[in-house]
């Protein structure tokens, strides 16, 4: 399968559907991530309770907490975003689910939190769209980076991917529908000068490393 680590569009095999609490239904037989998105924080106590209830079901298809994180350009006020993000970090550790992180202009805070908290669970930055310097910093701190459709058009991002060890890479389509996950893999394999099949297997292996999930046999 060509693993698509983050999408808002229910798709076929190999994609992880993102469930936004109070907005999306939890899929029954498909892997998903679930969390409180910084754009949609309402009554935070109620939302955190709802998330905890979902996690308590111990659903085998729930692979990640998220997307959650910090967005300084959109959504709830910064303090509330930070508080809700921290609560989700605690849930991630308690339920042993890695984090899928949305980050807009909040890298300093998120890097600081990782330093302070030393989480056991993996933290994946979804839709990474910055330069190789930041990519390097994040990798050194043990973050994983997920690359989306911007990879096809941004030379800065292509450069970042070229400088990121494959052990820390994922790919995604997120909310856009113009570029398929296969196109992103094909482009990345060409850029990296490796076989498409090798890349596909490597990314699947990365998912196994951080979630224990081996994919669906269909
Ligand atoms: Zn998203």
């Amino acid at each position: 399968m060509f693993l698509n680590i983050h999408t808002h569009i229910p798709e076929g095999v190999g994609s992880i559907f993102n469930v936004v609490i109070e907005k999306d239904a939890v899929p029954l037989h498909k892997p998903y991530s679930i969390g409180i998105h910084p754009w949609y924080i309402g009554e935070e106590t109620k939302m955190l309770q709802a998330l905890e209830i979902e996690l308590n079901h111990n659903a085998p298809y729930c692979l990640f907490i998220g997307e959650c994180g910090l967005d300084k350009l959109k959504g709830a006020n910064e303090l509330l975003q930070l508080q809700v993000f921290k609560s989700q970090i605690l849930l991630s550790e308690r339920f042993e689910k890695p984090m899928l992180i949305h980050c807009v202009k909040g890298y300093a805070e998120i890097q600081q939190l990782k330093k302070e908290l030393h989480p056991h669970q993996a933290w994946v930055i979804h839709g990474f769209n910055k330069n190789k310097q930041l990519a390097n910093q994040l990798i050194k701190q043990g973050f994983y980076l997920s690359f989306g459709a911007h990879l096809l058009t941004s030379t800065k991002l292509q450069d970042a991917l070229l400088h990121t060890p494959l052990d820390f890479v994922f790919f995604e389509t997120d909310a856009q529908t113009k570029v398929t996950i296969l196109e992103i893999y094909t482009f990345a394999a060409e850029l990296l000068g490796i076989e498409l099949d090798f890349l596909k297997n490597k990314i699947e292996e990365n998912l196994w490393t951080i979630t224990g999930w081996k994919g669906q046999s269909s």
Side-chain angles (χ1 to χ4, degrees), residues 26 36 47-48 62 64 74 94 103 121 154:
V26 174
I36 304 169
M47 292 176 97
L48 284 163
C62 174
F64 289 92
K74 205 171 160 182
R94 191 172 126 208
C103 179
Q121 295 302 308
S154 163

Side-chain angles (χ1 to χ4, degrees), residues 91-140:
L91 290 173
S92 149
E93 292 294 300
R94 191 172 126 208
F95 288 93
E96 300 183 330
K97 308 274 184 198
M99 304 274 283
L100 200 57
I101 297 173
H102 171 107
C103 179
V104 176
K105 298 192 181 290
Y107 281 102
E109 289 85 347
I110 288 176
Q111 286 179 279
Q112 187 57 34
L113 278 170
K114 196 164 191 293
K115 261 183 213 145
E116 279 170 17
L117 300 172
H118 302 290
H120 290 100
Q121 295 302 308
W123 288 18
V124 181
I125 303 283
H126 108 76
F128 181 74
N129 197 17
K130 297 291 175 188
N131 60 25
K132 69 175 176 204
Q133 285 80 9
L134 184 61
N136 278 337
Q137 271 184 35
L138 292 166
I139 296 303
K140 273 194 195 129

Side-chain angles (χ1 to χ4, degrees), residues 25-168:
V26 174
L28 291 177
H29 304 293
K30 274 174 61 66
Y32 61 90
S33 50
I34 186 166
I36 304 169
H37 195 297
W39 293 356
Y40 310 115
I41 301 177
E43 289 175 56
E44 73 273 16
T45 317
K46 212 179 106 208
M47 292 176 97
L48 284 163
Q49 277 166 359
L51 178 56
E52 199 176 326
I53 287 167
E54 283 300 333
L55 293 167
N56 263 320
H57 287 158
N58 200 19
Y61 291 103
C62 174
L63 302 192
F64 289 92
I65 305 277
E67 65 187 290
C68 57
L70 304 176
D71 192 323
K72 293 202 179 162
L73 298 182
K74 205 171 160 182
N77 74 64
E78 275 182 37
L79 211 65
L80 182 59
Q81 286 194 19
L82 192 64
Q83 185 197 324
V84 172
F85 181 52
K86 281 183 179 170
S87 301
Q88 292 181 92
I89 297 169
L90 297 179
L91 290 173
S92 149
E93 292 294 300
R94 191 172 126 208
F95 288 93
E96 300 183 330
K97 308 274 184 198
M99 304 274 283
L100 200 57
I101 297 173
H102 171 107
C103 179
V104 176
K105 298 192 181 290
Y107 281 102
E109 289 85 347
I110 288 176
Q111 286 179 279
Q112 187 57 34
L113 278 170
K114 196 164 191 293
K115 261 183 213 145
E116 279 170 17
L117 300 172
H118 302 290
H120 290 100
Q121 295 302 308
W123 288 18
V124 181
I125 303 283
H126 108 76
F128 181 74
N129 197 17
K130 297 291 175 188
N131 60 25
K132 69 175 176 204
Q133 285 80 9
L134 184 61
N136 278 337
Q137 271 184 35
L138 292 166
I139 296 303
K140 273 194 195 129
Q141 248 195 291
F143 283 92
Y144 292 75
L145 306 180
S146 173
F147 295 81
H150 283 299
L151 186 66
L152 276 59
T153 50
S154 163
T155 49
K156 174 189 79 178
L157 197 56
Q158 290 161 14
D159 200 31
L161 176 62
L162 282 165
H163 288 86
T164 303
L166 271 187
D167 286 348
F168 294 90

Side-chain angles (χ1 to χ4, degrees), residues 6-8 18 20 33 37 39 66-67 100-102 126-127 172-176:
H6 181 73
T7 176
H8 295 270
N18 188 85
V20 176
S33 50
H37 195 297
W39 293 356
E67 65 187 290
L100 200 57
I101 297 173
H102 171 107
H126 108 76
E172 64 178 63
T173 56
D174 199 5
Q176 62 83 34

